[in-house]
Amino acid sequence: MAVIGFIGLGNMGGPMAANLVKAGHQVVGYDLVPAAVEAAGAAGVTIGDSPAAIAAAAEVVITMLPGGKHVLSVYGDIAPVARPGTLLIDCSTIDVDSARKAHALATGTGAASLDAPVSGGVGGAAAGTLTFMAGGEADAFERARPILEAMGKKIVHCGGAGAGQAAKICNNMILGISMIGVCEAFVLAEKLGLSHQALFDVSSTSSGQCWSLTSYCPVPGPVPASPANRDYQPGFAAALMLKDLKLAQEAAQSAGAPTPLGAAAAQLYALMNAQGDGGTDFSGIIRMLRGEG
Ligand code: NAD
C-alpha cells in the first residue's frame, strides 16, 4: 500500500481521501479550512504541515482543488520538492491550458503526471463509484489505476496531458445543451396541452431520447429518482454546470472550435446563477424557461 498525499479535502476530496484510507493506504492530507481538516482526520487521514512537506514524503500526491489557479499554485510548491518518480494526480475540474501547465511543472522536475477529473458528484465520491477521465502518459495511468479504483468504478485513459479535462468539459457541454433542449420541449408541451408523461413515453423511445430525459427527467413523475421530484435539490448544482460550461467556452476559444449552442447554454446557466438559483439542481433551469421566479 502506498503513502498518498491528498491536498484539498473539501466536499469531494474529503470522502475520496477517506476511501483511500479504507482501501488500506496511508493518506497524508492538507486543506486550508479547519473543518475540512477535522473531518478528514476523523476519517483516518493524517494531517500534514504543508503541501510541500507532504510531497517530499509521498509516493503519490492527489489534488482536488476548486480551479486552475489553485492547482498551479500548489504544483508550484510541490513539483520542485517531490522525489523523482513521484506520481502527481490532479482530480480537480480545471481548464485544459492550466492542466497542461501543471503537467509541464510536474514532468519538468522528474515527476509523473496525470489529469484525472471525475464525474459522479459528492454521492459518487462517498460511495467510491466515481468515473475518472485521465490524461497523461500510459505508464503514469497504469500506476494510477489501482489507486483510482479505490475511489471509483470506471477509469478511462483519454489520451495525453489535458485529455481528461478535455473529455470532462466536452461531456458536460453535451449535458448542459441537452438538458436545456429537454426542458424547452417540456415547456412547449405544457403550452400545447400535452402531458409530461405522454411526451416522456414518446421521446424516451424515439429520436429525442437522451440521458437528460431518460435518467434525469426535469419534470416530476416519469423518472422518480430525478431531482425534479425533490424540488430540484442537487444532484449537480447549476453553479457547477456553469463552471464547466465556462471552461468549455475558454477551451473552444483557445482551440478555435465553433460552439454556438455551448455558448448559449453558458449564458442561460449564468442567468440562472444571477437569479440566485446556483445552488439548485441544473435541471431546475426548466423553471426559469417557464418564467417562474
Ligand atoms: P470544495 O470547495 O468543497 O473543496 C475544495 C477544497 O480545496 C476546499 O476545502 C478548499 O479549502 C481547498 N483548497 C483551496 N485551495 C487550497 C490550497 N491552496 N491548499 C489546500 N487546500 C486548498 O469543492 P469540491 O466540491 O470538493 O470540488 C473540488 C473539485 O472537484 C472542483 O474542481 C470541482 O469542480 C470538482 N467536482 C466537483 C463535483 C461536485 O459535485 N462537488 C463533481 C465533479 C467535480
Side-chain angles (χ1 to χ4, degrees):
M1 289 297 154
V3 177
I4 301 176
F6 207 115
I7 299 166
L9 301 166
N11 292 324
M12 295 292 291
M16 289 165 71
N19 280 329
L20 291 172
V21 172
K22 278 186 209 152
H25 296 292
Q26 185 190 334
V27 182
V28 188
Y30 182 81
D31 197 290
L32 301 174
V33 173
V37 167
E38 207 174 299
V45 174
T46 308
I47 302 306
D49 291 334
S50 67
I54 289 174
E59 298 153 62
V60 177
V61 181
I62 299 175
T63 40
M64 193 53 167
L65 297 165
K69 65 176 186 208
H70 308 95
V71 172
L72 288 177
S73 159
V74 168
Y75 268 52
D77 291 338
I78 65 177
V81 295
R83 292 178 299 183
T86 300
L87 173 60
L88 306 186
I89 307 174
D90 179 41
C91 294
S92 326
T93 301
I94 67 171
D95 59 286
V96 175
D97 289 343
S98 294
R100 290 186 175 144
K101 282 184 192 150
H103 275 274
L105 280 172
T107 53
T109 61
S113 170
L114 211 62
D115 54 288
V118 304
S119 78
V122 177
T129 56
L130 294 169
T131 295
F132 287 88
M133 300 148 244
E137 297 296 323
D139 53 350
F141 176 73
E142 288 311 325
R143 279 179 65 197
R145 188 200 291 273
I147 292 161
L148 301 181
E149 277 171 351
M151 301 181 284
K153 68 171 179 359
K154 182 149 193 190
I155 327 285
V156 183
H157 189 204
C158 299
Q165 299 293 352
K168 165 95 187 176
I169 58 172
C170 288
N171 178 71
N172 280 16
M173 189 176 79
I174 296 173
L175 177 62
I177 293 169
S178 69
M179 179 54 78
I180 293 167
V182 170
C183 288
E184 287 189 358
F186 274 108
V187 173
L188 177 60
E190 288 165 4
K191 298 267 187 208
L192 296 174
L194 178 67
S195 75
H196 291 161
Q197 192 64 49
L199 175 59
F200 181 86
D201 288 346
V202 171
S203 289
S204 63
T205 53
S206 302
S207 45
Q209 189 275 335
C210 63
W211 186 91
S212 293
L213 177 71
T214 56
S215 296
Y216 215 82
C217 189
V219 295
V223 178
S226 76
N229 297 282
R230 44 176 206 270
D231 200 25
Y232 301 98
Q233 291 307 302
F236 185 51
L240 288 174
M241 174 52 84
L242 177 60
K243 174 188 171 183
D244 292 355
L245 288 170
K246 282 180 171 169
L247 291 175
Q249 284 306 290
E250 278 172 39
Q253 273 161 26
S254 167
T259 55
L261 288 180
Q267 285 184 347
L268 286 168
Y269 277 104
L271 195 54
M272 184 173 171
N273 271 263
Q275 290 180 346
D277 290 327
T280 307
D281 188 78
F282 81 111
S283 61
I285 201 163
I286 192 168
R287 298 196 291 203
M288 189 179 89
L289 295 171
R290 285 194 194 110
E292 294 170 3

